[in-house]
Amino acid sequence: MPSVYFTQGLPYALVISVSPVLYKRLGLDNTQIAFYTGWLYLPWIIKPLWSPVVELMRSKRWWIVTMQMLMGCGFAAIGLTIPTDGCLPWSLTFFWLLAFSSATHDIAVDGMYMLGLPERSQAFFVGIRSTFYRLAMLAGQGGVVIAAGRLENTLGGVKPAWMLAFLGTSALLFLLSLYHFRTLPRPNEDHPPGIPGGLGMEFRNTFKQFFTQKNIGWILAFILTYRLGESQLVKIAPLFLLDPPAEGGLGLQTSHYGLVYGVVGLIALLGGGILGGMATSRNGLKSWIWVMLVCMNLPNLAYVYLSWLQPESIWIITACVALEQLGYGFGFTGLILLLIHVSKGPYQTAHYAIGTGLWSLGMMLPGMISGWIQSWLGYPVFFFWVMLASLPVFGTAKKIIGVLEEPRQVR
């Protein structure tokens, strides 16, 4: 499972976090980047529509290995289109297909995780699985970006550097798919169940049981607003770090950005995730929900500070990025555990996919317009706006504690 969760995180890192950096280096403005790359969340949003297919057709092992091979092809296709004149539409197309394969892979991986562990162990090991997922993010946001930055200096061009970076990632995905083909276990429980009422009936039952559970309105509100501020920050922060000081940014070089945001920041994110998993495994999520909400959102003040003062010290910039990522990692554990709590029963894989699709919707829509908001407000006021956008989720927390205190119910 550690290597599978590494493989789950790497495509997500490049599709969601590295694609804005690529397009920034190719010369697109912030509004275009936020809008175009915001659409890349769509496969994770609509994946509940085909999650019953993953649940009911073929084993989860088959889906995992097959999607990994397809993702290797997707990275190769993106790398080969970057040097072409029409790289924007073609690369976006392959990014979207890569996102579709990655979202399908997520369904199968999360299903196998819940299949093999009891609930208490799921709470503890959520930190372990997050560790390897974040290591993949480290490899993507850090390793790939740093390599691309150094290749830019070595080769003297953006396009050939990023082409080689994506082709190297493609080779890694193919190797991981072959490794998992040989070593991934074949548990007896990993087989598609029968479909006595037909696939259409299973679709209806899947969605009906999720959306008719008690307090579903509060659950949806919590999921959709949990990262309302972060959804905008995560889209603009890389562009802010890369933009020159004359345009309100900090002017980091590509390789420096990869080190600060992709390495140090993700190590802090990783540490926060592990601490969150350890804390909730002892006392339960309901004891930590308020702390997690504060830790998730208050450190965003670091970007308010950076945007107003624009410090030149790489140490100050690194410390601020690490602080924000540490809080984000600790707080995000709460959302994962809530989804596990509301995804019990015979359709747990599909229900978890519905939940992750909803949280992706909560990331996609604000993220798509964040570039326009930033261009209108400027960086300092925009990051203050991010702080205000984090407030709505606090209004739902009391009801969510009530949800966590009772077993999942269906009306």
Side-chain angles (χ1 to χ4, degrees):
M1 295 309 290
S3 62
V4 171
Y5 271 96
F6 180 89
T7 314
Q8 184 188 60
L10 187 59
Y12 186 86
L14 270 78
V15 171
I16 300 301
S17 301
V18 177
S19 62
V21 180
L22 168 64
Y23 291 126
K24 188 68 175 179
R25 298 298 296 135
L26 292 176
L28 275 70
D29 61 46
N30 289 4
T31 302
Q32 291 175 307
I33 293 170
F35 182 77
Y36 289 144
T37 61
W39 278 107
L40 297 176
Y41 279 109
L42 185 60
W44 282 279
I45 294 171
I46 63 174
K47 72 180 182 181
L49 298 179
W50 70 89
S51 60
V53 177
V54 177
E55 182 89 58
L56 300 169
M57 295 185 177
R58 308 299 295 255
S59 67
K60 295 175 181 63
R61 185 186 192 279
W62 183 90
W63 284 105
I64 289 170
V65 174
T66 302
M67 290 304 106
Q68 288 175 7
M69 292 181 178
L70 288 177
M71 289 187 288
C73 294
F75 281 121
I78 293 169
L80 294 174
T81 59
I82 287 174
T84 65
D85 292 335
C87 68
L88 178 60
W90 279 111
S91 61
L92 283 172
T93 299
F94 288 119
F95 266 125
W96 197 91
L97 294 173
L98 182 61
F100 181 89
S101 301
S102 180
T104 306
H105 181 262
D106 290 356
I107 297 169
V109 171
D110 292 333
M112 185 169 281
Y113 178 83
M114 291 186 289
L115 194 66
L117 289 172
E119 184 173 359
R120 187 170 184 84
S121 294
Q122 289 174 17
F124 179 80
F125 282 100
V126 72
I128 305 300
R129 85 178 203 178
S130 294
T131 297
F132 286 88
Y133 186 90
R134 300 306 180 189
L135 286 174
M137 301 288 285
L138 181 66
Q141 290 181 219
V144 173
V145 174
I146 291 173
R150 291 181 176 177
L151 286 170
E152 286 179 9
N153 296 329
T154 302
L155 301 177
V158 172
K159 288 188 174 182
W162 284 90
M163 178 189 71
L164 290 177
F166 274 90
L167 290 178
T169 306
S170 171
L172 177 60
L173 258 292
F174 280 122
L175 289 174
L176 285 168
S177 67
L178 292 174
Y179 170 72
H180 291 137
F181 177 76
R182 290 180 58 87
T183 63
L184 201 63
R186 302 175 186 267
N188 294 329
E189 298 86 354
D190 185 22
H191 57 81
I195 315 176
L199 186 58
M201 180 66 73
E202 292 300 303
F203 269 94
R204 288 192 294 272
N205 290 339
T206 296
F207 285 90
K208 180 181 178 181
Q209 289 197 20
F210 184 87
F211 286 103
T212 58
Q213 61 184 290
K214 189 177 180 181
N215 293 313
I216 186 60
W218 289 107
I219 293 170
L220 295 177
F222 187 80
I223 293 172
L224 291 172
T225 60
Y226 196 86
R227 296 195 289 176
L228 184 58
E230 192 70 28
S231 65
Q232 301 172 74
L233 178 74
V234 75
K235 188 62 66 176
I236 298 301
L239 312 181
F240 164 68
L241 295 173
L242 289 167
D243 260 338
E247 297 180 15
L250 298 184
L252 297 184
Q253 297 180 5
T254 304
S255 57
H256 290 163
Y257 163 83
L259 178 62
V260 171
Y261 196 84
V263 176
V264 177
L266 275 171
I267 290 174
L269 186 71
L270 178 64
I274 294 174
L275 290 174
M278 293 173 63
T280 52
S281 70
R282 297 184 62 183
N283 304 108
L285 177 58
K286 66 179 183 292
S287 301
W288 288 93
I289 190 66
W290 290 106
V291 176
M292 287 188 163
L293 286 175
V294 172
C295 290
M296 183 86 171
N297 295 290
L298 188 61
N300 292 342
L301 283 171
Y303 279 94
V304 176
Y305 165 78
L306 289 174
S307 61
W308 280 96
L309 298 184
Q310 292 182 278
E312 296 181 359
S313 170
I314 194 68
W315 298 106
I316 294 176
I317 296 171
T318 302
C320 288
V321 170
L323 175 64
E324 186 272 328
Q325 292 287 280
L326 179 68
Y328 179 31
F330 186 84
F332 185 60
T333 307
L335 184 56
I336 296 176
L337 291 177
L338 175 71
L339 293 189
I340 291 175
H341 180 81
V342 301
S343 301
K344 301 304 177 185
Y347 303 105
Q348 62 179 7
T349 300
H351 285 179
Y352 191 86
I354 292 172
T356 57
L358 289 169
W359 94 34
S360 295
L361 179 64
M363 292 289 288
M364 173 183 166
L365 296 180
M368 286 178 64
I369 62 172
S370 62
W372 176 81
I373 296 173
Q374 182 275 317
S375 298
W376 178 44
L377 298 177
Y379 282 120
V381 180
F382 170 79
F383 289 121
F384 183 73
W385 157 253
V386 167
M387 297 299 303
L388 294 178
S390 67
L391 297 178
V393 69
F394 286 88
T396 68
K398 186 174 181 180
K399 287 290 184 180
I400 292 301
I401 291 175
V403 171
L404 294 169
E405 288 176 343
E406 60 187 27
R408 180 177 180 268
Q409 300 178 18
V410 178
R411 293 186 190 140

